[in-house]
């Protein structure tokens, strides 16, 4: 073997560390740090690994396998990214393979796919040994050849295909194999060009002589020369798509083929962008108000001393315009910008606004894009150092930035920045701060309702703090009215879920030609069904939750595992036909709005109505253009959307936000209520926000009513300090899962006992979470609460060592799934 003939490879699997593979001599000069390689793993599987290092000798612990193929001579992952991955894996207590799987678009991961085909040695006379389902699959394979499990399921409609495949293999009826599948496909376009060089006048004359007497061929040639600017020596020759040439010349492809056969025109194929890269003329940056200009100046000043600055600006204060000027400053220096938003919905309006100023330097990246589109964006950043501004949701932190100069995190308080499942369970805000630090870039956080931890760091000097206290162009802070639902129900004046005052206010807005937003943070038609006779509530067979009724699909749906159930005509317990739906979701609110405000166009924005790629933009565009009068939605409508004609916002039930068993419930409730109130009256007129609640005297309701962030912050900070929660401590949740509840309780007790031996009274639990079973897995949770000065690295090392020793000493521990949630949100 030659020196450095072994490579360290990370695989997209939840396994600790990297794996060593031998590198054939012929590949030694083809691979570099960050390159993709195809490697075997296990008995038959093949994966795309990323090379993270080299070694001159093999490890002694195991016999290494050989790299099968090098996919890239140049790396597809930059060195700073690999360091960032290592930090994420270490900080959030997961494997680097988990990070790799989340970071790289699927289109760049070539993996083996299990396929099945008929065993040629199987005697057809033995079909009697197969079940009816197996015979059908056997006949399908005989007709269509090799198929994947997904293909078989699609063709037959059968479930549990892997089990069926295994049975057929055991009976000798079929064999399985692994096939490498590449998911990325570059978009290509057929183009045409003249078959002679610019400046070769003799060749051009010969070409025209060849088409003399053939007017259509002559027209085609002249059109091609015109479109390609072939005769304009002052400009580069332009590539001409075949479809454009045929359209402009008005001739058929047969004429084109004849000219190709004559050798006058050449056809070729080129790769093109899926996003359209036509030049866009950029408008001047927006004129800043005096307050905005002062805020921008303060931000630049704060960046001289601090790497991180919080811009605390009230809703509709024009933070986006300040961001735009800060971004422009960084782009002029030749650097790149990452602009994070919490929801994909926000990118629609934001992209349109920023596109005016930055044109093709603006790139959008989020999970609604196809694999091919995400790979194309990845490659653009990988192969270019051009100054760009990337707008995206949390996954955009993984992009291969070359010259990152600024990170903007808009609505930094939002819980959507936190990834819950699967690993890595990272917070994109905190990860973006570390990413910026690794690149030597600055971070600008923005919010009207900053997270408690963020504001604490800003007021104690760790972050810079800039405030923007007035709304843009003199717009007034909306007026808030609190409606006591308890009193309204006692007076029996409610119409469904609407109080008379809510109906009156929305009706007045409609009369004045304005729009309204109705906010209710629960999707579906009704939260659950109920038998009026015996009080039976249908629940999910796999999760400990009631089923939500969805009117559109006429079904009951589990919002935890996604299982659909048919709506029962009669109660399965008492057999009476008294099953009814109880409560309100956005579907039901939408129906009530249409009934109350007839002849008014109503739109709904929730997870169910925005599953398609263009759903967000379609809804936002229709509402922005006043093609709809009322928008009903979940928390999606609370986040940074700018609708100039909305005068009324209605909150249907504020209590559902506050009364949740979590130390952040007050924070989430205040943020959401204050943010949704900011959607009203964003122009000249003062907006009106109506908050329906059964607890009008609740402190959070009072703070929202007075737009009193400082009062809320001091109140919440005092409670956090009294009970020892962030920002005064650091939290780690340990989530335990098992299919057997009794076994889980036993193992959780053993685990928590060992934890207490190590950490003492910093250990709380194990406890049952509010939903204690999901997808047939029982759940328990242990909370670790540490002092701020505790070494998190040491704590994480102890946790990893404890998990390893328990698994080694007690085999039953291996049956329990365990994951860590660092800095839970």
């Amino acid at each position: 073997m030659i020196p450095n003939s072994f490579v360290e490879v990370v695989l997209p699997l939840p396994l600790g560390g990297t794996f060593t593979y031998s590198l054939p001599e012929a590949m030694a000069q083809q691979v570099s740090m960050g390159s993709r390689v195809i490697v075997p793993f296990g008995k038959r599987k093949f994966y795309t690994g990323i090379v993270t290092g080299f070694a001159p000798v093999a490890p002694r612990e195991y016999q290494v396998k050989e790299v099968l193929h090098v996919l890239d001579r140049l790396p597809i992952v930059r060195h700073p990214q690999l360091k960032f991955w290592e930090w994420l894996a270490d900080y959030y207590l997961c494997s680097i393979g988990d990070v790799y799987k989340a970071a790289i678009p699927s289109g760049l991961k070539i993996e083996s796919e299990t396929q099945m085909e008929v065993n040629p040695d199987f005697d057809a006379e033995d079909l009697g040994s197969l079940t009816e389902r197996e015979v059908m699959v056997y006949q399908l394979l005989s007709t269509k050849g090799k198929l994947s499990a997904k293909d078989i399921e699609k063709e037959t409609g059968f479930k549990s295909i892997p089990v069926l495949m295994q049975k057929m293999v055991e009976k000798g009826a079929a064999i399985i194999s692994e096939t490498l599948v590449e998911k990325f496909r570059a978009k290509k376009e057929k183009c045409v060009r003249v078959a002679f060089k610019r400046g070769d006048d003799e060749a051009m004359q010969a070409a025209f002589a060849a088409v003399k007497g053939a007017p259509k061929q002559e027209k085609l040639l002249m059109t091609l020369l015109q479109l390609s600017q072939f005769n304009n020596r002052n400009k580069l020759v332009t590539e001409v798509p075949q479809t454009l040439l045929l359209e402009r010349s008005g001739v058929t492809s047969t004429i084109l083929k004849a000219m190709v056969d004559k050798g006058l025109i050449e056809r070729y194929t080129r790769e093109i962008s899926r996003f359209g890269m036509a030049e866009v003329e950029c408008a001047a940056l927006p004129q800043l108000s005096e307050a905005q200009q002062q805020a921008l100046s303060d931000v630049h000043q704060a960046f001289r001393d601090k790497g991180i600055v919080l811009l605390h600006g009230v809703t509709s204060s024009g933070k986006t315009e300040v961001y735009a000027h800060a971004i422009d400053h960084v782009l002029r220096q030749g650097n790149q910008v990452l602009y994070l938003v919490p929801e994909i919905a926000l990118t629609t309006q934001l992209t349109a606004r920023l596109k005016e100023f930055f044109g093709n330097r603006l790139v959008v990246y989020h999970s609604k894009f196809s694999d091919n589109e995400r790979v194309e964006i990845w490659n653009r950043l990988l192969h270019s150092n051009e100054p760009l501004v990337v707008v995206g949701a949390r996954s955009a932190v993984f992009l291969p930035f070359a010259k990152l100069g600024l990170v903007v995190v808009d609505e930094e308080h939002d819980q959507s920045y936190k990834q819950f499942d699967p690993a890595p369970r990272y917070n994109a805000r905190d990860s973006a701060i570390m990413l910026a630090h690794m690149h030597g870039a600055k971070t600008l956080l923005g919010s009207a309702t900053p997270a408690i931890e963020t504001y604490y760091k800003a007021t104690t000097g760790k972050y810079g703090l800039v405030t923007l206290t007035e709304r843009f162009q003199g717009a007034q802070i909306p007026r808030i009215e609190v409606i006591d639902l308890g009193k309204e129900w006692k007076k029996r004046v409610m119409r469904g879920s609407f109080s008379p005052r809510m109906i009156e206010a929305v009706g007045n807005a409609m009369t004045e030609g304005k729009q309204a937003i109705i906010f209710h943070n629960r999707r579906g038609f009704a939260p659950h069904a109920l038998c009026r006779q015996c009080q039976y509530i249908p629940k999910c067979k796999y999760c400990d939750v009631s089923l939500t009724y969805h009117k559109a699909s006429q079904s009951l749906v589990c919002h935890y595992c996604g299982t659909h159930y048919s709506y029962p005509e009669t109660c399965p317990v008492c057999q009476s036909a008294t099953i009814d739906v109880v409560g309100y979701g956005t579907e039901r609110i939408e129906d009530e709005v249409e009934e109350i405000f007839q002849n008014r166009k109503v739109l709904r924005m929730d997870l169910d109505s925005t599953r398609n790629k263009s759903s967000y933009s379609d809804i936002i565009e229709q509402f922005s253009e006043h093609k709809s009068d009322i928008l009903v939605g979940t928390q999606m409508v609370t986040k940074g959307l700018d609708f100039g004609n909305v005068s009324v916002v209605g909150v249907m039930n504020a209590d559902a936000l506050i009364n949740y068993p979590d130390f952040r419930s007050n924070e989430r409730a205040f943020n959401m209520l204050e943010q949704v109130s900011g959607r009203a009256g964003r122009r000249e007129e003062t907006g009106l926000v109506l908050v329906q609640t059964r607890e009008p005297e609740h402190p959070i309701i009072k703070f929202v009513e007075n737009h009193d962030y400082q009062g809320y912050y001091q109140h919440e900070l005092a409670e956090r300090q009294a009970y020892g929660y962030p920002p005064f401590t650091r939290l780690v949740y340990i989530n335990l899962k098992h299919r057997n509840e009794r076994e889980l309780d036993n193992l959780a007790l053993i685990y928590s006992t060992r934890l207490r031996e190590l950490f003492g009274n910093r250990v709380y639990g194990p406890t049952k979470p509010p939903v204690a079973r999901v997808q047939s897995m029982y759940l328990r949770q242990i909370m670790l609460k540490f002092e701020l000065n505790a070494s998190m690295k040491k704590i994480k090392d102890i946790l990893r060592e404890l998990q390893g020793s328990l698994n080694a000493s007690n085999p039953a521990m291996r049956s329990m799934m365990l994951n860590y949630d660092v800095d839970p949100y």
Side-chain angles (χ1 to χ4, degrees):
M1 287 286 183
I2 61 171
N4 292 340
S5 55
F6 297 93
V7 288
E8 294 299 318
V9 176
V10 59
L11 299 176
L13 299 170
L15 302 171
T18 58
F19 296 87
T20 305
Y21 286 86
S22 65
L23 190 65
E25 188 172 350
M27 298 181 188
Q29 303 303 317
Q30 300 176 11
V31 69
S32 57
M33 287 268 289
S35 293
R36 291 180 302 163
V37 291
I38 299 294
V39 294
F41 190 81
K43 289 184 178 180
R44 291 188 297 267
K45 289 287 187 180
F46 306 97
Y47 290 98
T48 301
I50 302 290
V51 175
T52 60
F54 299 87
V57 295
R60 297 179 179 178
E61 294 82 4
Y62 57 91
Q63 185 175 356
V64 299
K65 296 179 181 180
E66 195 172 77
V67 171
L68 300 179
H69 186 64
V70 177
L71 292 174
D72 316 286
R73 284 183 175 272
L74 297 175
I76 66 134
V77 177
R78 298 180 187 274
H79 182 65
Q81 282 179 281
L82 293 175
K83 292 296 181 186
F84 182 54
W85 290 7
E86 290 172 4
W87 176 84
L88 279 164
D90 181 61
Y91 188 82
Y92 289 105
L93 284 170
C94 62
S95 73
I96 194 169
D98 286 321
V99 181
Y100 165 30
K101 190 171 183 179
I104 298 288
S106 296
L108 289 174
K109 294 194 286 278
I110 299 174
E111 296 183 3
S112 63
E113 181 178 71
T114 302
Q115 295 187 317
M116 186 166 70
E117 61 185 316
V118 167
N119 185 349
D121 297 329
F122 184 73
D123 194 335
E125 294 181 1
D126 294 334
L127 282 175
S129 65
L130 304 181
T131 66
E132 184 180 346
R133 282 160 52 104
E134 290 166 355
V135 170
M136 290 179 65
V137 172
Y138 181 88
Q139 292 171 342
L140 177 67
L141 296 174
S142 299
T143 304
K144 298 204 170 185
K146 192 180 291 187
L147 293 174
S148 68
K150 186 177 180 180
D151 293 333
I152 295 171
E153 182 177 341
K154 185 178 180 181
E155 292 283 346
T156 63
F158 296 160
K159 302 296 182 184
S160 303
I161 294 297
V163 176
L164 186 147
M165 291 170 72
Q166 185 63 36
K167 294 288 185 184
M168 291 183 69
V169 170
E170 290 173 358
K171 294 176 181 180
I175 56 176
I176 60 174
S177 59
E178 295 293 320
T179 303
L180 288 174
V181 179
E182 183 171 11
K183 298 175 183 177
F184 174 64
R185 293 288 183 272
K187 187 175 182 181
K188 297 182 178 180
E189 179 180 60
K190 290 182 179 179
C191 292
V192 290
R193 61 191 171 209
V194 293
F196 47 87
K197 294 182 178 179
R198 177 186 272 183
D200 191 342
D201 295 335
E202 289 184 12
M204 183 179 291
Q205 290 174 7
F208 275 103
V211 297
K212 191 174 181 181
K216 290 186 177 180
Q217 292 186 19
E218 185 176 18
K219 184 176 182 182
L220 185 70
L221 179 58
M222 292 182 67
T223 304
L224 178 56
L225 292 171
Q226 180 183 9
L227 289 174
S228 64
Q229 303 189 77
F230 190 84
N231 292 327
N232 189 341
R233 303 290 177 90
N234 296 323
K235 293 188 176 181
L236 295 173
V237 175
T238 303
E239 293 187 287
V240 180
Q242 178 177 303
T243 52
L244 177 63
L245 175 62
L246 295 177
E247 180 186 331
R248 292 289 182 88
S249 62
V251 303
T252 64
S253 56
T254 305
I255 302 298
L256 174 61
K257 184 178 183 303
M259 296 188 68
V260 171
D261 293 341
K262 287 182 178 181
L264 303 177
I265 289 177
E266 295 176 349
R267 286 194 280 202
Y268 64 98
T269 301
R270 65 167 180 168
E271 290 188 12
I272 62 171
S273 170
R274 289 177 165 83
F275 297 96
M277 299 300 291
E279 285 296 323
V280 177
E281 187 172 342
C282 299
L285 287 171
Q287 189 75 28
L288 298 182
S289 67
E290 186 176 334
Q292 288 173 317
Q293 187 61 56
Q294 184 60 53
L296 178 64
S297 177
D298 291 344
V299 166
H300 287 308
Q301 181 66 36
F303 274 148
R304 294 179 183 178
D305 302 318
K306 308 287 184 183
I308 308 162
V309 173
L310 169 64
L311 175 59
H312 180 201
V314 297
T315 56
S316 194
S317 58
K319 293 187 289 294
T320 304
E321 285 75 15
V322 177
Y323 299 153
H325 280 262
I327 290 167
D328 182 65
H329 177 74
V330 173
L331 294 179
R332 288 178 185 277
Q333 295 175 330
N335 293 324
Q336 298 168 333
V337 178
L338 171 60
Y339 190 138
L340 286 180
V341 291
E343 290 275 5
I344 297 169
L346 291 184
T347 62
T348 301
Q349 280 194 333
L350 186 62
T351 301
R353 294 169 72 182
L354 296 182
K355 192 82 173 176
E356 295 178 19
F357 312 133
F358 304 117
N360 286 335
R361 292 180 295 171
L362 182 74
V363 176
V364 181
Y365 186 85
H366 54 65
S367 59
K368 287 287 184 180
F369 283 158
S370 68
D371 282 339
N372 286 330
E373 289 170 327
R374 297 175 80 183
V375 171
E376 192 170 306
I377 295 169
W378 184 281
N379 287 336
R380 183 180 178 188
L381 269 82
L382 182 68
H383 301 307
S384 171
N385 293 339
E386 61 182 315
L388 297 170
V389 51
V390 177
V391 177
R394 59 175 181 254
S395 60
V397 298
F398 296 118
L399 285 168
F401 294 98
K403 299 174 65 180
L404 190 62
L406 175 67
V407 172
V408 177
V409 185
D410 196 19
E411 310 293 354
E412 64 80 29
H413 65 275
D414 201 287
Q415 65 176 345
S416 295
Y417 282 125
K418 176 68 173 178
Q419 165 76 12
F420 291 99
D421 272 313
R425 294 168 181 82
Y426 67 103
N427 188 311
R429 176 198 62 203
D430 300 338
S431 301
I433 290 172
M434 178 54 67
L435 178 72
H437 174 73
M438 288 181 168
H439 281 265
K442 302 294 186 181
T443 303
L444 180 57
L445 309 174
S447 176
T449 55
I452 295 293
E453 291 95 325
T454 302
Y455 200 70
Y456 180 77
K457 290 173 183 176
T459 54
T460 54
K462 186 172 182 179
Y463 296 170
L465 176 62
V466 176
T467 57
L468 193 53
T469 57
E470 61 183 58
R471 282 188 144 194
F472 186 59
Q473 294 182 339
Q476 298 299 306
I477 298 291
R479 182 168 53 89
I480 294 182
E481 286 185 24
V482 176
I483 299 168
D484 188 339
L485 281 180
K487 290 182 179 179
E488 299 298 288
W489 280 110
K490 283 182 180 179
K491 291 190 288 185
R492 300 190 178 188
V493 293
M494 294 290 291
R495 184 170 175 181
S497 56
F498 283 80
S499 63
R501 178 64 181 122
M502 181 86 77
I503 295 171
E504 177 192 20
V506 174
N508 290 340
M510 300 298 100
T511 303
E512 296 168 3
K514 299 294 183 180
Q515 293 170 287
I517 291 176
I518 305 297
F519 167 57
H520 186 64
N521 203 32
R522 191 149 203 165
R523 63 188 176 97
F525 186 84
H528 62 269
L530 173 71
C531 175
R532 295 193 303 272
Q533 189 71 26
C534 70
Q535 304 302 299
Y536 163 76
I537 297 175
K539 292 188 176 182
C540 178
K541 66 171 79 170
Y542 309 110
C543 311
D544 284 343
V545 291
S546 58
L547 298 171
T548 301
Y549 176 64
H550 284 250
K551 184 179 179 182
S553 60
Q554 294 284 301
S555 62
L556 295 170
V557 181
C558 175
H559 283 181
Y560 279 79
C561 69
T563 304
H564 284 63
Y565 300 82
S566 58
Y567 185 78
E569 296 295 329
T570 60
C571 175
V573 176
C574 68
Q575 307 304 316
S576 61
T578 54
I579 289 281
D580 202 358
V581 294
V582 177
Y584 292 84
T586 47
E587 278 187 34
R588 193 169 192 175
I589 300 292
E590 180 186 23
D591 280 2
E592 286 192 351
V593 169
E594 288 176 339
E595 182 184 336
I596 295 170
F597 305 102
Q598 296 181 10
N599 302 320
R600 296 294 180 179
K601 175 69 175 173
V602 182
L603 287 173
R604 174 166 54 88
M605 182 187 283
D606 56 25
L607 184 63
D608 301 310
S609 66
T610 56
R611 294 189 184 277
N612 296 329
K613 178 180 173 181
S614 61
S615 302
Y616 289 109
S617 55
D618 290 345
I619 293 171
I620 290 169
E621 182 179 342
Q622 289 182 56
F623 196 65
S624 296
E625 295 176 358
H626 206 157
K627 294 178 182 177
S628 170
D629 301 297
I630 302 171
L631 177 63
V632 176
T634 56
Q635 60 179 343
M636 291 180 183
V637 303
T638 71
K639 301 177 181 181
L641 296 171
D642 184 18
F643 301 120
N645 201 44
V646 172
S647 64
V648 172
V649 168
V651 178
M652 300 307 295
N653 183 9
D655 307 326
L657 303 175
I658 298 170
N659 298 321
Y660 191 81
D662 182 82
F663 80 95
R664 292 192 189 274
S665 61
N666 282 350
E667 182 177 9
R668 290 197 190 101
F670 179 86
N671 291 348
M672 215 171 285
L673 291 171
E674 187 65 20
Q675 289 286 337
V676 75
S677 73
R679 301 315 108 206
R682 296 176 69 88
R683 297 299 184 264
E684 297 84 5
E685 298 180 13
T686 303
L688 173 63
V689 181
L690 299 151
V691 179
Q692 296 187 158
T693 174
R694 291 179 181 272
E695 299 182 72
E697 299 303 316
H698 193 287
I700 295 301
I701 299 296
K702 289 298 183 183
F703 291 133
V704 171
E705 188 176 9
N706 297 313
H707 298 288
D708 184 9
Y709 177 82
Q710 292 297 333
Y712 146 75
Y713 169 74
Q714 295 299 335
H715 173 271
E716 188 67 16
L717 196 68
E719 286 207 343
R720 298 276 186 95
Q721 189 167 22
Y723 294 102
Y725 280 102
F728 302 102
T729 57
R730 302 285 297 277
L731 299 185
V732 177
Y733 285 169
I734 303 177
N735 300 307
L736 313 174
K737 299 182 182 181
H738 202 286
R739 292 194 177 277
N740 184 294
E741 187 172 21
R742 181 175 295 179
E743 183 72 359
L744 176 60
D745 285 332
N746 291 334
L747 295 175
L749 183 60
I750 293 170
Y751 187 72
S752 61
T753 301
R754 289 292 302 276
L755 282 173
R756 285 187 172 86
E757 292 172 5
L758 295 167
F759 299 122
N761 60 5
R762 300 177 183 87
V763 182
Y764 298 80
T767 59
K768 280 188 178 183
V771 177
R773 185 173 62 105
V774 175
Q775 294 181 327
S776 299
M777 300 292 287
Y778 292 93
L779 313 178
R780 297 294 183 267
Q781 190 174 78
I782 297 171
M783 181 174 70
L784 305 182
K785 190 183 290 187
F786 297 104
E787 301 84 352
L788 290 177
N789 60 359
S791 169
M792 289 305 290
K793 185 181 186 308
K794 186 176 180 181
I795 289 167
K796 291 166 187 174
D797 289 343
I798 292 171
L799 289 173
R800 285 194 176 104
E801 186 179 335
L802 174 61
Q803 186 177 353
S805 66
L806 283 173
N807 286 343
S809 62
N810 187 346
M813 278 288 180
R814 298 174 192 170
S815 64
M816 180 177 70
M817 297 175 62
L818 182 153
N819 66 62
Y820 306 97
D821 188 2
V822 180
D823 299 337
Y825 210 82

